[in-house]
Amino acid sequence: MSGPYVIRGSVSLPEAELMWRFSRSGGPGGQHVNTSDSQVELRFDLANTEALPPVWKERALEKLAGRLVDGVVSVRSSEHRSQWRNRETAAVRLASLLAEATAPPPRPRRPTRIPRGINERRLREKKARSETKRGRTGRDWG
């Protein structure tokens, strides 16, 4: 493994709290795929972890509520032929998922008013366009 997977700032995934499970990948691959457990499932107990600050943990539990099974988030990877690369991919995917879920909410939008001059110009242009189109009626052409 290539070391700690940083979620954000100085907070990273604790290696001791990661639960790995390996199984055979489906799909093509010849005889090799029938003998090697290259698919990786990485599980992380989000509800009972002490690695995340309490505020982050609350946010993540709220945002990932649909993905959690008994407070555990699970990520699966099977796109590579080697187990090691699938482990890397799964860990990076979990770290980015947690980074996104623990991110603070965006700042609320401050409503702004449209400047009066811009609104008046828009109405003038609409009126001019309307006059142009009204002048195209065939009443005057005898």
Side-chain angles (χ1 to χ4, degrees):
M1 300 296 297
S2 69
Y5 295 96
V6 177
I7 296 173
R8 195 168 57 251
S10 62
V11 180
S12 60
L13 283 172
E15 194 67 43
E17 293 185 24
L18 298 179
M19 297 169 278
W20 299 93
R21 209 169 90 198
F22 309 103
S23 58
R24 293 189 183 131
S25 269
Q31 295 166 345
H32 173 72
V33 82
N34 299 327
T35 59
S36 64
D37 292 339
S38 60
Q39 178 173 286
V40 173
E41 183 182 354
L42 175 58
R43 298 162 49 96
F44 180 67
D45 193 351
L46 187 58
N48 299 321
T49 186
E50 295 297 319
L52 298 177
V55 177
W56 287 21
K57 194 161 130 178
E58 273 179 41
R59 261 190 232 143
L61 285 169
E62 191 178 309
K63 285 187 183 172
L64 298 174
R67 284 191 69 146
L68 297 178
V69 178
D70 297 329
V72 177
V73 66
S74 174
V75 174
R76 193 174 265 161
S77 174
S78 63
E79 52 260 18
H80 302 291
R81 284 185 61 179
S82 81
Q83 186 190 96
W84 185 81
R85 285 183 67 192
N86 281 331
R87 285 176 69 131
E88 289 285 311
T89 306
V92 168
R93 199 176 290 162
L94 179 64
S96 66
L97 180 73
L98 289 174
E100 194 176 309
T102 59
R107 293 177 63 191
R109 182 187 170 275
R110 275 184 51 211
T112 55
R113 289 186 55 205
I114 297 172
R116 191 167 164 193
I118 289 177
N119 208 22
E120 287 174 357
R121 184 180 67 200
R122 181 182 64 85
L123 293 174
R124 269 197 315 272
E125 288 172 359
K126 277 182 74 158
K127 194 170 284 287
R129 191 86 186 127
S130 168
E131 289 297 320
T132 303
K133 288 187 172 188
R134 207 162 44 143
R136 291 181 184 155
T137 58
R139 284 180 298 182
D140 297 339
W141 303 345

